[in-house]
Amino acid sequence: MGVYKPLDPRSQKPSSKTPGCFLSKPVCVWLVLGFLSLALLHLLCCSPAATQQAVLSPLRQYINSTYSFVASVPGEGNQQNCSYSEGRWVWAPGHAQRYNATECNVKERQDCIRNGRPDTGYLDWRWQPAGGCPLPAFDAGAFLAAVRGKHVAFIGDSMARNQAQSLICLLSAAFPYRLLHRDAGPQRHNFWGYAFPSHDVRVSYYWAPFLVRGKGKPEDDGIKENHVHLDAPGDRWGADADTIDVAVLAAGHWLLNGAIYYNGSEVIGTHNAPPEFSNHTKIGYAWPLHMAYRKAVERLSSGGRPRTVVLATFSPSHFEGRPIDSPTACTKMEPYKEGERELEWIFKEVRDVVYDEAELARARAAAAAGGATRIEVLDVTTLAAMRPDGHPSVYMNYHPFQHGVPEKMLSDCLHFCLPGPVDTFNEILVQILKKRRWNQ
Ligand SMILES: *[C@@H]1O[C@H](CO)[C@@H](O)[C@H](O)[C@H]1NC(C)=O
Ligand SMILES: *[C@@H]1O[C@H](CO)[C@@H](O)[C@H](O)[C@H]1NC(C)=O
Ligand SMILES: *[C@@H]1O[C@H](CO)[C@@H](O)[C@H](O)[C@H]1NC(C)=O
Ligand SMILES: *[C@@H]1O[C@H](CO)[C@@H](O)[C@H](O)[C@H]1NC(C)=O
Ligand SMILES: *[C@@H]1O[C@H](CO)[C@@H](O)[C@H](O)[C@H]1NC(C)=O
């Protein structure tokens, strides 16, 4: 089928032309660079020292502020102030055919091509942010350079895992890697870590569906209710937090589902809990969600280690009221167009929780001595909401129609196929991570 294509940076340039230049973009860039060098040379040999200082200092600062010199040339994607959260999906044949998911160990249920999904149109789209900012295709070298020597950890629910596995696939298609650890058995997709020795980078995933400490359905579907401790970070990642430099947090689906919430040993309220807990205060989902993010960020702001904490927003599902066991629960073959479908208010509310917590955390980091924690929002809600076509649907199962067409069949309309739209989350993550130099 020829799905796997190695990264080819030449075929992944954004198509917009540099305004005011009739030559091809690379030629323009080199012309501009050449001109700059001549101007600099002139300055250095023929101007008084004070002028040199005045010119060179802002220039040096400008170069310092971005990772790669070429990327900082105006028009060639100076992403200092780009917002990637709103935009549209534009047709770009083959853009998302970047790796063979079977070779990078993704969860079988999201390996749609292996599972026999016959259409590939969902791989023919790229995200065009509003306002004309280009979103460059994923560049594994740029990612690894931006986190050189660091431990990058994804913490959260299965959407955090979806993104973490996408990142491993994108990186391992281009750079050598080594499995560091992986739990055995049913948790094998929930706790793992890889090393990328060329850049001394570690990428891990910690399953923490509530972010904070929790027990219940995520481990055992037979349990009726979830018990969630809003005063304690998740055990596994909490224990490793002092080794983490970059944390990407994503949660929400389980907290929307509901739980019995604790502070210490005291129940402080419930949401959507079984009747025998109805004597407790009903506290809804928004407040516990706030508290869960707050506790997680608090843990990641402690211990004096300078960190970048990226809060990913909610990635909504596309069941749209259809039953999960309907083979046609999500069979749309194209993205929604801009404005075709209004984002449901509940998804907006969950996204707002993340923005509120990010703002609060930034204020706290600024007030703290040193202010070492950098807080960023990775807003994927709109771009994910526009991709009903990118889910495994019935191809969460291996060749689902090999024995005919059953009346009932589980569909996954939440996670994304790998490769698929979730790779775009990481395209944006790279831009966030290289936006500023580590101020540490
Ligand atoms: C640029 O970075 C270098 C090394 O990181 C540093 O020594 C220098 O002071 C920086 N210059 C400016 C203008 O920020
Ligand atoms: C950056 O973007 C914000 C929000 O879109 C805008 O208000 C602000 O003026 C922009 N700043 C610069 C320097 O372009
Ligand atoms: C992906 O890799 C697997 C294992 O190496 C191989 O069997 C399969 O044919 C590959 N799929 C595609 C579409 O290339
Ligand atoms: C738990 O109780 C402590 C002590 O009373 C309080 O400071 C904290 O805010 C409470 N946490 C939550 C999530 O209610
Ligand atoms: C609510 O009911 C449970 C189980 O019957 C009991 O353990 C708990 O103490 C009750 N809580 C309140 C606040 O009455």
Side-chain angles (χ1 to χ4, degrees), residues 56-65 437:
L56 286 180
S57 162
L59 188 66
R60 211 181 287 131
Q61 218 160 29
Y62 184 52
I63 293 168
N64 270 12
S65 69
R437 241 184 134 79

Side-chain angles (χ1 to χ4, degrees), residues 217-236:
K217 285 177 202 274
E219 290 85 34
D220 180 353
D221 208 33
I223 299 174
K224 278 201 313 278
E225 73 278 344
N226 300 313
H227 298 268
V228 174
H229 293 263
L230 293 172
D231 58 325
D235 293 319
R236 288 281 283 265

Side-chain angles (χ1 to χ4, degrees), residues 165-438:
Q165 293 196 322
S166 151
L167 182 64
I168 294 300
C169 292
L170 289 164
L171 295 177
S172 64
F175 285 88
Y177 65 104
R178 184 158 52 81
L179 180 68
L180 289 174
H181 63 89
R182 171 187 288 284
D183 272 24
Q187 300 278 35
R188 71 188 183 285
H189 290 295
N190 289 351
F191 298 99
W192 47 254
Y194 286 89
F196 293 86
S198 58
H199 294 74
D200 186 22
V201 168
R202 235 167 102 193
V203 179
S204 346
Y205 171 63
Y206 294 90
W207 164 247
F210 304 101
L211 292 177
V212 289
R213 180 180 295 159
K215 256 214 197 89
K217 285 177 202 274
E219 290 85 34
D220 180 353
D221 208 33
I223 299 174
K224 278 201 313 278
E225 73 278 344
N226 300 313
H227 298 268
V228 174
H229 293 263
L230 293 172
D231 58 325
D235 293 319
R236 288 281 283 265
W237 76 259
D240 286 0
D242 290 332
T243 71
I244 296 171
D245 304 294
V246 177
V248 181
L249 306 182
H253 292 276
W254 286 93
L255 290 143
L256 278 183
N257 256 339
I260 294 125
Y261 293 103
Y262 297 80
N263 188 1
S265 58
E266 185 200 353
V267 176
I268 50 177
T270 66
H271 173 58
N272 214 11
E276 58 267 37
F277 297 93
S278 61
N279 58 352
H280 295 289
T281 318
K282 299 198 172 41
I283 52 174
Y285 60 82
W287 186 79
L289 192 56
H290 275 285
M291 291 306 127
Y293 270 102
R294 202 168 299 172
K295 192 73 211 174
V297 174
E298 186 189 299
R299 175 67 185 95
L300 291 163
S301 307
S302 65
R305 194 181 182 91
R307 293 192 189 85
T308 296
V309 179
V310 180
L311 307 183
T313 65
F314 195 71
S315 178
S317 68
H318 289 97
F319 290 103
E320 292 164 5
R322 290 175 292 260
I324 189 171
D325 59 357
S326 156
T328 57
C330 48
T331 48
K332 214 171 171 301
M333 304 274 271
E334 278 188 7
Y336 285 127
K337 295 182 185 64
E338 223 175 343
E340 185 176 343
R341 224 186 151 82
E342 175 82 3
L343 191 62
E344 286 173 47
W345 66 267
I346 193 168
F347 298 154
K348 285 186 191 160
E349 186 170 6
V350 179
R351 174 174 60 184
D352 288 348
V353 167
V354 168
Y355 273 103
D356 289 350
E357 287 305 314
E359 204 169 306
L360 184 73
R362 275 191 199 117
R364 289 191 175 175
T373 313
R374 175 185 157 199
I375 308 284
E376 299 285 349
V377 174
L378 171 59
D379 185 349
V380 296
T381 302
T382 301
L383 67 95
M386 290 168 86
R387 293 307 303 273
D389 58 324
H391 304 297
S393 175
V394 291
Y395 295 99
M396 65 183 284
N397 302 300
Y398 187 72
H399 290 276
F401 300 119
Q402 59 184 333
H403 305 299
V405 183
E407 205 171 298
K408 290 195 168 186
M409 185 187 276
L410 285 184
S411 278
D412 180 352
C413 308
L414 166 62
H415 307 103
F416 286 113
C417 291
L418 293 158
V422 67
D423 298 324
T424 301
F425 297 17
N426 287 316
E427 284 177 338
I428 298 175
L429 182 62
V430 185
Q431 301 309 320
I432 289 175
L433 293 178
K434 60 179 218 181
K435 189 168 67 172
R436 264 188 281 157
R437 241 184 134 79
W438 300 88

Side-chain angles (χ1 to χ4, degrees), residues 1-4 100 102-103 113:
M1 209 154 39
V3 159
Y4 171 69
N100 177 339
T102 311
E103 288 174 354
I113 294 169

